[in-house]
Every structure is written in C-alpha cells, then in structure tokens.
Amino acid sequence: MDKIIIENLSLIYSDGAESLKNVSLNIPVNTITVLFGPAGGGKSTLLRVINRLNDLADVTHISGNVLLADNTNKFTNVLDPQLDVIALRRRVGMVFARPIVLPLSIHDNLTYGLEMAGENDKMRLNEAVERSLQQAALWDEVKYRLDDPAADLSGGQQQRLCLARSLAFEPEVILLDEPTSGLDPISTGKVESSLQELKKLYTIVLVPHSVQQAARTADFAAFFLQGEMIEYGPGETIFINPRDERTTSYIEGRFG
C-alpha cells in the first residue's frame, strides 16, 4: 500500500533552474525510501514539496500531483492551494541536516510545539516527551536531565532531539534531509538504528549523506540526477544490480 504517490511533478525556480523534471514515484507505507544522487539533483526540493516548504521559495512553476494517503487510504493532494498547510506539517514532519534546538530545556523543546497546538494536559505532555525520546533512542541518555538546556547536548544528541521533536506530534510521515551529515559514526549508527524501528510506525523518506548510508538503510531507493529520477526500485536491486549505467557509475564513485 502506498502512503505517497507523486505524479508527473515538475518544479522551476525563478532563476530558471529546473529542480524537478516530470518525477513520478510511489512511496510505500512503513518503509524507508531513500532519495540519493549528487548535489543539485532535486532530492531536497522533493522533500520540501511533500510538506510544502517550497511555499517559502521563489517558485515560478510547479505542476503535477503529490497525493498523501490517510489511515483510511483516502488521498489528499498536497499541492491543493486550499490545503491547511499547518495540519499537513503535523502529518508530515521534517528533520534537517543541521540540528536547530530551541533555547529551552530538553523537556520544553519537545512540549513547546504541542502546547502551541493546544495541548495543555501535563500528563499527556510528559507521556509525549518520554515516548518521542524513546523512539529517537535518546531517553536513556537524558531522562535524568530533562530540565537541562538542550544546547548542552552533543551534536548527535541534538539531532536525535530534533527527530524526537518531530515524533512528538505522532506524524504519519517523517522526511529527513541528510540528518547525519555532521555526526560521528557512533551517533550516525544510533540514528540509523532508530529509523529501522521507526518505520514500523511511520513512513520514512530519507536523503542520505552518502551512498553507503543509502545502501544500508533503503527498503526502496530512487536515484536522482539533475532534476530527473533516473531509476527506482527495491534497495537491494538498485545497489546490487542497477539497470541504468548512470546509476552504476554513481554508486561505484565514478562521478558525484
């Protein structure tokens, strides 16, 4: 069953650069779908389209459909101008490459958004804090220091806190844009392990920071090059026996 269906999606920025060219892609529910390829291929742009962050950019043309299924398998077009974008972003969370924590305690980093959304029950807020930290594999490291400033955490811990902050809303989809690009191997391993558990509950779309990470994490993988999706399929197929010579060349390090 598909969680997201992307149909003939094209996008052009005001500077004339065509970031996406007629991309069609089905993202199955409860999987990790990896978007990989060299810089400038359109991977991050696609993530931003899925939760409408491209609304903040200077886009001169966008066409196609991005369909998001709810729990009853009813699809909504994310690009509908009448769509409630705030509600969409609660369903589709996003974690960026650089962790940005709020100048608050660890606990309040997780409850701030929920309180802004109208949740005032202290028990429910505390349950959300523990649940999201457990899911982000951070609970055991911070459970006795929840009142400490989030800025005191290490880089790897801050990144997992940002992941937990997204999970606090219990989204249906998690988008991750190179979430481990600045982390050490141990922290990277913890994030990757968390993702394998999280896909049991959520649909994950990941832009990895390396081909190696893409191969380690992908249930499904799509190779992007200069705004085009070159090929898509199960991860083990794409990384072991790709169909397109350009995919093979990139995976083997001949360019990119």
Side-chain angles (χ1 to χ4, degrees):
M1 186 167 62
D2 293 322
K3 184 64 179 177
I4 302 172
I5 299 175
I6 298 167
E7 300 175 330
N8 307 117
L9 178 65
S10 294
L11 182 146
I12 302 174
Y13 289 112
S14 59
D15 60 5
E18 185 169 19
S19 185
L20 294 171
K21 304 175 184 177
N22 200 35
V23 172
S24 293
L25 172 67
N26 288 24
I27 296 174
V29 68
N30 296 123
T31 59
I32 299 175
T33 297
V34 165
L35 314 178
F36 76 105
K43 310 178 297 296
S44 296
T45 294
L46 180 55
L47 291 189
R48 290 171 178 272
V49 169
I50 293 173
N51 80 340
R52 290 282 293 271
L53 280 176
N54 62 299
D55 289 5
L56 306 175
D58 198 357
V59 175
T60 58
H61 170 79
I62 185 168
S63 61
N65 296 307
V66 178
L67 306 176
L68 174 66
D70 63 15
N71 294 329
T72 64
N73 208 35
K74 178 183 177 181
F75 284 89
T76 299
N77 189 358
V78 167
L79 301 183
D80 183 348
Q82 306 303 315
L83 184 73
D84 184 338
V85 175
I86 294 175
L88 170 68
R89 290 175 185 159
R90 290 177 187 164
R91 297 178 63 192
V92 182
M94 188 157 180
V95 180
F96 299 93
R98 181 183 176 186
I100 301 175
V101 298
L102 302 175
L104 302 169
S105 69
I106 296 168
H107 178 279
D108 290 352
N109 260 265
L110 298 168
T111 60
Y112 180 80
L114 295 172
E115 290 173 336
M116 291 298 100
E119 180 59 76
N120 295 310
D121 187 294
K122 295 298 183 184
M123 183 177 293
R124 289 181 181 174
L125 289 170
N126 289 334
E127 288 173 351
V129 168
E130 181 171 352
R131 172 185 51 77
S132 59
L133 288 172
Q134 290 272 17
Q135 291 177 338
L138 189 56
W139 173 251
D140 289 341
E141 298 172 37
V142 303
K143 60 185 176 183
Y144 298 122
R145 44 187 300 217
L146 294 177
D147 293 328
D148 289 359
D152 289 351
L153 296 174
S154 70
Q157 290 173 327
Q158 287 187 23
Q159 187 61 287
R160 281 179 283 150
L161 180 63
C162 291
L163 175 58
R165 195 165 61 201
S166 177
L167 294 170
F169 282 99
E170 297 185 275
E172 299 164 33
V173 178
I174 306 169
L175 310 175
L176 301 113
D177 192 359
E178 298 191 23
T180 62
S181 61
L183 303 187
D184 61 85
I186 293 175
S187 296
T188 295
K190 289 181 178 179
V191 172
E192 290 181 5
S193 295
S194 296
L195 297 183
Q196 295 300 325
E197 290 300 312
L198 289 172
K199 73 179 182 183
K200 299 173 184 176
L201 300 172
Y202 308 101
T203 300
I204 297 171
V205 186
L206 169 67
V207 174
H209 76 267
S210 67
V211 173
Q212 292 78 13
Q213 183 176 66
R216 286 195 302 267
T217 57
D219 295 310
F220 294 88
F223 176 58
F224 281 77
L225 183 64
Q226 296 179 324
E228 294 184 61
M229 190 183 74
I230 304 303
E231 67 175 294
Y232 167 75
E236 58 186 14
T237 300
I238 294 293
F239 293 104
I240 295 174
N241 189 30
R243 298 184 304 275
D244 194 286
E245 180 60 31
R246 291 168 291 180
T247 311
T248 302
S249 295
Y250 181 74
I251 291 171
E252 293 180 353
R254 283 184 251 155
F255 74 94

